């Protein structure tokens, strides 16, 4: 992979991941063409890491944008880092490869850089992404995540993906994979919600000790319009401490929130479909937060989780009951 020029972290399998990624998920009522336009703008202004998923139903659009930017000579495939995810309805080991092949077909690419288990909560397989029974109750099922992991290892060996990882895993669930007999590849990352109000310091310490990169989502505090996002929570980007630090550095609260994660050694995602924000969010490599700024930001931690799902709490693998 040639990702020279974009700032990267070395993953535990030897591949490079650009530390800033474009998030591409928006709620259902946002046209998918927005993901297409945003991905093109992002590549034009220098983003080299794109985060999408089968579940987001945007892989045709994101793939088209990527292929267009390759065709017009802006980037080469090997300059880009593309992440997809295996949704909960594909966690049975015999469905994992099929999920990745479906993503590749939509993308019209022949490999992805990374595929991660989207969430450890398995659901009844089928075309329905959130299967419900007649009474409207979510149809969850139990799978052995170690078997799911073995299926992902085979996808890597088959060359369909460069790297494999997880998302929304607790340290206990990660430990279970790491202790699996005959483990062939460790997860390269755990993508989790992470921002000053939920700074994940315990999970970060754990991941660091295992050479697993923590990838932060909702790093800007997400968007209360999204259906999984808890309403009436304080808005991160309106936090007075973030505002004060931003003023001192003549930057925006969003840039402070992103820079905070980079200085802690995380990779960080920022979703934006607004050109002004897309441009602003990549300008996080030319200023530095002081140790006092970092301390003040770490002081904002308050165990505030924006992403919750009431249905998933019924599942034995629901990850957010664990302390970390
Ligand atoms: P986010 O990146 O924290 O925040 C996005 C929101 O902030 C949008 O409303 C965006 O609006 C706004 N915004 C972006 N830049 C801004 C700026 N400079 N100033 C002011 N507002 C700004 O939220 P997220 O989308 O929830 O998370 C990021 C990505 O992580 C997702 O898109 C997805 O790829 C991934 N993710 C993964 C999981 C998982 O389970 N693995 C869960 C959640 C998210 P505009 O679009 O108008 O800029
Ligand atoms: C907590 C609750 C974690 C939204 C729900 C994960 C929801 C995954 C996004 C996502 C979930 C989910 N997103 O990008 O906005 O798996 O339902 O990636 S979720």
């Amino acid at each position: 992979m040639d990702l020279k020029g974009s700032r990267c972290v070395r993953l535990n399998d030897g591949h490079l991941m650009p530390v800033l990624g474009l998030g591409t998920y928006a709620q259902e009522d946002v046209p998918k063409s927005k993901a297409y336009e945003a991905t093109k703008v992002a590549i034009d202004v220098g983003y080299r890491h794109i985060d999408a998923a089968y579940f987001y139903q945007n892989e045709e659009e994101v793939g088209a944008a990527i292929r267009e930017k390759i065709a017009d000579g802006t980037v080469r495939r090997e300059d880009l880092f593309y992440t997809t995810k295996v949704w909960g309805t594909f966690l049975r080991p015999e469905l994992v490869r099929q999920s990745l092949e479906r993503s590749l077909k939509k993308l019209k690419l022949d490999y992805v850089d990374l595929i991660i288990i989207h969430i450890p909560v398995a659901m009844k397989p089928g075309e329905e992404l959130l299967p419900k029974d007649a009474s409207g109750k979510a149809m969850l099922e139990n799978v052995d995540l170690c078997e799911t992991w073995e299926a992902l290892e085979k996808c890597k060996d088959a060359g369909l993906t460069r790297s494999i990882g997880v998302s929304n895993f607790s340290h206990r669930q990660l430990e279970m994979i790491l202790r699996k007999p005959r483990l062939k590849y460790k997860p390269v990352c755990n993508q989790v919600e992470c921002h000053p109000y939920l700074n994940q310091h315990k999970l970060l310490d754990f991941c660091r000790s295992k050479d697993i990169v923590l990838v932060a989502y909702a790093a800007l505090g997400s968007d209360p319009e999204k259906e999984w996002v808890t309403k009436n929570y304080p808005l991160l980007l309106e936090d007075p401490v973030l505002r004060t630090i931003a003023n001192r550095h003549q930057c925006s609260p969003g840039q402070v929130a992103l820079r905070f994660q980079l200085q802690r050694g995380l990779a960080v995602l920022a979703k934006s479909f607004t050109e002004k924000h897309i441009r602003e969010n990549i300008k996080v490599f030319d200023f530095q937060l002081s140790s006092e700024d970092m301390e003040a930001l770490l002081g904002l931690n308050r165990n505030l989780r924006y992403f919750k799902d009431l249905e998933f709490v019924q599942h034995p693998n629901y990850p957010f009951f664990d302390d970390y």
Side-chain angles (χ1 to χ4, degrees):
M1 162 160 316
D2 182 5
L3 292 161
K4 289 192 284 292
S6 34
R7 279 147 244 234
C8 292
V9 57
R10 177 81 59 189
L11 303 173
N12 65 33
D13 65 356
H15 292 295
L16 291 171
M17 172 194 274
V19 291
L20 175 69
L22 178 77
T24 63
Y25 184 76
Q27 55 279 19
E28 297 260 308
D29 58 342
V30 175
K32 304 290 177 198
S33 59
K34 298 272 185 195
Y36 167 74
E37 296 297 342
T39 303
K40 283 202 301 180
V41 170
I43 294 173
D44 277 334
V45 305
Y47 288 73
R48 293 295 176 264
H49 173 167
I50 315 287
D51 181 84
Y54 186 83
F55 179 59
Y56 301 166
Q57 297 182 272
N58 62 9
E59 291 191 297
E60 279 97 344
E61 289 79 9
V62 172
I66 289 174
R67 283 181 289 106
E68 209 172 300
K69 285 290 125 194
I70 294 172
D72 76 4
T74 308
V75 281
R76 297 169 301 169
R77 175 66 187 90
E78 60 269 32
D79 298 328
L80 285 176
F81 189 99
Y82 177 84
T83 302
T84 190
K85 313 189 183 90
V86 194
W87 184 238
T89 52
F90 292 89
L91 293 183
R92 290 186 189 175
E94 68 274 20
L95 298 179
V96 167
R97 182 173 176 143
Q98 195 187 106
S99 166
L100 176 50
E101 284 172 341
R102 283 197 193 193
S103 288
L104 289 170
K105 195 170 164 198
K106 289 172 195 261
L107 291 159
K108 303 201 180 99
L109 295 178
D110 46 31
Y111 71 91
V112 298
D113 295 280
L114 172 64
I115 184 164
I116 61 186
I117 297 177
H118 203 147
I119 184 159
V121 171
M123 287 159 258
K124 190 183 156 297
E127 293 311 311
E128 213 46 69
L129 294 176
L130 293 165
K132 304 246 159 82
D133 68 14
S135 68
K137 203 167 143 286
M139 295 172 86
L140 308 177
E141 66 169 27
N142 215 348
V143 299
D144 180 344
L145 292 170
C146 286
E147 290 181 9
T148 306
W149 187 254
E150 287 165 5
L152 279 171
E153 292 180 329
K154 292 197 180 88
C155 291
K156 176 170 159 90
D157 282 333
L160 301 177
T161 184
R162 297 278 193 259
S163 299
I164 56 179
V166 301
S167 177
N168 297 306
F169 271 45
S170 68
H171 92 283
R172 200 176 45 80
Q173 292 170 322
L174 269 172
E175 195 76 88
M176 186 184 74
I177 304 282
L178 294 171
R179 289 194 183 143
K180 187 188 87 64
R182 294 171 299 280
L183 178 73
K184 190 162 183 192
Y185 304 114
K186 286 180 18 168
V188 297
C189 70
N190 187 17
Q191 183 184 122
V192 296
E193 177 173 341
C194 187
H195 44 72
Y197 291 162
L198 181 74
N199 75 28
Q200 302 277 19
H201 62 280
K202 288 184 187 168
L203 189 59
L204 177 61
D205 282 348
F206 175 82
C207 287
R208 265 199 199 119
S209 74
K210 307 290 181 187
D211 196 16
I212 293 168
V213 173
L214 209 151
V215 180
Y217 73 68
L220 300 169
S222 196
D223 176 353
E225 293 293 309
K226 286 191 179 172
E227 58 174 313
W228 297 272
V229 175
T230 318
K231 315 296 172 226
N232 308 317
Y233 271 10
L235 298 176
L236 180 71
L237 296 186
E238 290 177 5
D239 185 276
V241 172
L242 226 66
R243 168 54 64 197
T244 305
I245 295 173
N247 288 345
R248 185 153 59 236
H249 292 274
Q250 296 182 325
C251 68
S252 71
Q255 290 169 324
V256 171
L258 298 175
R259 181 72 204 182
F260 168 65
Q261 303 296 14
L262 297 178
Q263 287 188 210
R264 301 170 77 207
L266 281 77
V268 64
L269 304 176
K271 176 266 171 183
S272 180
F273 289 176
T274 306
E275 178 160 352
K276 177 175 173 282
H277 292 160
I278 296 173
R279 290 179 180 277
E280 182 181 309
N281 295 343
I282 200 175
K283 290 197 194 119
V284 286
F285 298 103
D286 48 11
F287 73 101
Q288 196 166 358
L289 299 170
S290 66
S291 49
E292 292 77 25
D293 295 333
M294 292 298 288
E295 284 307 318
L297 291 166
L298 287 167
L300 297 176
N301 200 26
R302 57 191 70 169
N303 197 28
L304 189 155
R305 197 181 280 282
Y306 290 105
F307 278 86
K308 292 207 183 104
D309 190 298
L310 294 176
E311 311 245 29
F312 295 167
V313 301
Q314 309 299 330
H315 196 279
N317 290 340
Y318 183 75
F320 308 134
F321 290 134
D322 283 334
D323 175 31
Y324 69 103

